[in-house]
Amino acid sequence: MGFWKSLFSSADAPSATKSMSIALESVEGASDRGSHVYFSTDREIDLYELEELCSAVGWSRRPLRKVKKAIQHSFLVVTMWEQRGTQRRLIGFSRATSDHAFNATIWDVVVHPDFQSQGFGKALMKHIIKKLRSEDISNITLFADPQVVDFYRRLGFMSDPEGIKGMFWYPD
Amino acid sequence: MGFWKSLFSSADAPSATKSMSIALESVEGASDRGSHVYFSTDREIDLYELEELCSAVGWSRRPLRKVKKAIQHSFLVVTMWEQRGTQRRLIGFSRATSDHAFNATIWDVVVHPDFQSQGFGKALMKHIIKKLRSEDISNITLFADPQVVDFYRRLGFMSDPEGIKGMFWYPD
């Protein structure tokens, strides 16, 4: 995938993103749109912008107070941004809960429809996996909707390994 | 289940358990063994005692440093104890990771073989569910080994609801 080749150092970040320059990591994307795509682990996210992203993929609204709390208490939050000149746009999001030792569970993986089927979701997931592995987390899990099971399988996720079943509790 | 009827207030706790009296909750068990069974959310757990419990059910050893870290960073830790006179014995354990808002995932559910098939595992799980619900967690999940899927199903857990699959990442 040729467009994942260029690097975008934090020193190049325009002023609008300076506050998150520490969180800027290896920036893996420079799309063919005359823009850059980069990842951040900064948690200072505009919740309305996040809500807009989630609405774009058809997710139902959630109380912002709870979304904020969930972000605060996630082990890892990764956002994906398109930078075009001084403008940046939130195009992807994911987060993981964890015990900081053995297990992590990835939640809320979302990529804006304009950026789907172009490798951005895969890049986002690979970034999260790399981060979790670098924290010595050995067991990376998630719960996949039926339509994305194959997407995750191609990334190395197995469903029901050795018969282990993902289960959800529902009140009687 | 008649033996879940008596209460054991923290004031009755012998000196050995005083340090955890704050964490003592409604104590639900008084078994027919001339002893009481109670739950605690205290995280000051003797890691060797926990390791012994896990060994008793055949789990492989894990580095105590990581177990300690995982306990520290779990959202909820529930231990189950048998109290007999001034002696107490760790007979069950479980913990949950969470984002403190939407999702919790239950890990490491263990009940000592001497106490299995007598309702103690069910009571432990019900205690955890109650705790998570009281924290306004709406989505309670877990990954169940094949031999315990039916156990969790009887507690109200559903496997693969609406085709959602539990998935685990494995390195290529």
Side-chain angles (χ1 to χ4, degrees):
Chain A
M1 297 204 303
F3 61 79
W4 294 117
K5 65 184 187 298
S6 82
L7 289 175
F8 176 84
S9 77
S10 60
D12 296 331
S15 58
T17 62
K18 264 195 179 144
S19 65
M20 53 184 294
S21 60
I22 292 167
L24 278 175
E25 314 265 329
S26 68
V27 172
E28 302 174 23
S31 78
D32 51 4
R33 303 159 185 259
S35 62
H36 296 285
V37 170
Y38 66 89
F39 300 105
S40 170
T41 53
D42 193 318
R43 289 166 198 233
E44 291 302 316
I45 301 161
D46 180 331
L47 296 180
Y48 295 99
E49 199 174 0
L50 177 58
E51 187 176 71
E52 204 176 307
L53 172 64
C54 294
S55 294
V57 295
W59 291 4
S60 50
R61 278 168 185 259
R62 297 185 292 185
L64 293 191
R65 177 188 58 80
K66 288 194 82 172
V67 172
K68 186 179 176 182
K69 195 175 181 188
I71 288 173
Q72 278 172 342
H73 291 96
S74 291
F75 175 62
L76 175 67
V77 175
V78 174
T79 46
M80 185 164 64
W81 301 85
E82 182 193 46
Q83 184 85 39
R84 186 187 287 271
T86 58
Q87 297 288 311
R88 66 176 185 143
R89 176 185 174 194
L90 181 65
I91 62 167
F93 175 87
S94 186
R95 63 189 177 88
T97 49
S98 176
D99 57 18
H100 301 209
F102 299 110
N103 308 306
T105 310
I106 298 170
W107 305 95
D108 295 352
V109 180
V110 52
V111 174
H112 193 281
D114 293 351
F115 292 80
Q116 289 180 9
S117 306
Q118 298 163 65
F120 291 101
K122 185 177 171 183
L124 175 64
M125 287 303 299
K126 286 195 167 209
H127 192 75
I128 293 167
I129 292 167
K130 192 178 75 180
K131 285 275 177 198
L132 294 173
R133 295 288 289 171
S134 74
E135 298 283 347
D136 202 24
I137 302 293
S138 49
N139 190 32
I140 303 175
T141 59
L142 53 77
F143 296 95
D145 283 327
Q147 69 274 18
V148 286
V149 165
D150 284 340
F151 166 74
Y152 290 117
R153 201 166 275 149
R154 288 192 295 272
L155 283 159
F157 284 86
M158 275 182 68
S159 57
D160 305 342
E162 299 174 47
I164 296 170
K165 299 297 281 183
M167 302 188 85
F168 288 70
W169 183 80
Y170 292 96
D172 294 332
Chain B
M1 297 207 302
F3 61 80
W4 295 116
K5 64 184 186 299
S6 81
L7 288 174
F8 176 82
S9 78
S10 59
D12 297 332
S15 58
T17 62
K18 261 192 181 147
S19 64
M20 53 184 293
S21 61
I22 292 166
L24 278 174
E25 314 264 330
S26 68
V27 172
E28 303 176 22
S31 77
D32 52 4
R33 302 160 187 260
S35 61
H36 296 285
V37 169
Y38 66 89
F39 299 104
S40 171
T41 53
D42 192 319
R43 290 167 198 233
E44 293 301 316
I45 301 161
D46 180 331
L47 297 180
Y48 295 98
E49 198 173 0
L50 177 58
E51 187 178 72
E52 204 177 308
L53 172 64
C54 295
S55 295
V57 295
W59 292 3
S60 51
R61 278 168 185 258
R62 297 185 292 185
L64 292 191
R65 177 189 58 81
K66 288 195 82 171
V67 172
K68 186 179 177 182
K69 195 175 179 187
I71 288 172
Q72 277 171 341
H73 291 97
S74 291
F75 175 62
L76 175 66
V77 175
V78 175
T79 47
M80 186 164 64
W81 302 84
E82 182 193 45
Q83 183 86 38
R84 185 187 288 270
T86 58
Q87 297 287 311
R88 65 177 186 143
R89 175 184 175 194
L90 181 65
I91 62 167
F93 176 88
S94 186
R95 63 190 178 88
T97 50
S98 176
D99 56 20
H100 301 209
F102 299 109
N103 308 305
T105 311
I106 298 170
W107 305 96
D108 297 351
V109 180
V110 52
V111 174
H112 192 282
D114 292 351
F115 292 80
Q116 289 179 10
S117 307
Q118 298 163 65
F120 291 102
K122 185 177 172 184
L124 175 63
M125 287 302 301
K126 287 195 166 208
H127 192 75
I128 293 167
I129 292 167
K130 193 178 73 180
K131 285 275 177 195
L132 294 174
R133 295 288 289 171
S134 74
E135 298 283 346
D136 200 23
I137 302 293
S138 49
N139 189 33
I140 303 176
T141 59
L142 54 76
F143 296 94
D145 283 326
Q147 69 274 17
V148 286
V149 165
D150 285 339
F151 166 75
Y152 290 117
R153 200 166 277 149
R154 288 192 295 270
L155 283 160
F157 284 86
M158 275 183 66
S159 56
D160 305 343
E162 298 175 49
I164 296 170
K165 299 297 282 184
M167 302 187 85
F168 288 71
W169 183 80
Y170 292 96
D172 294 333

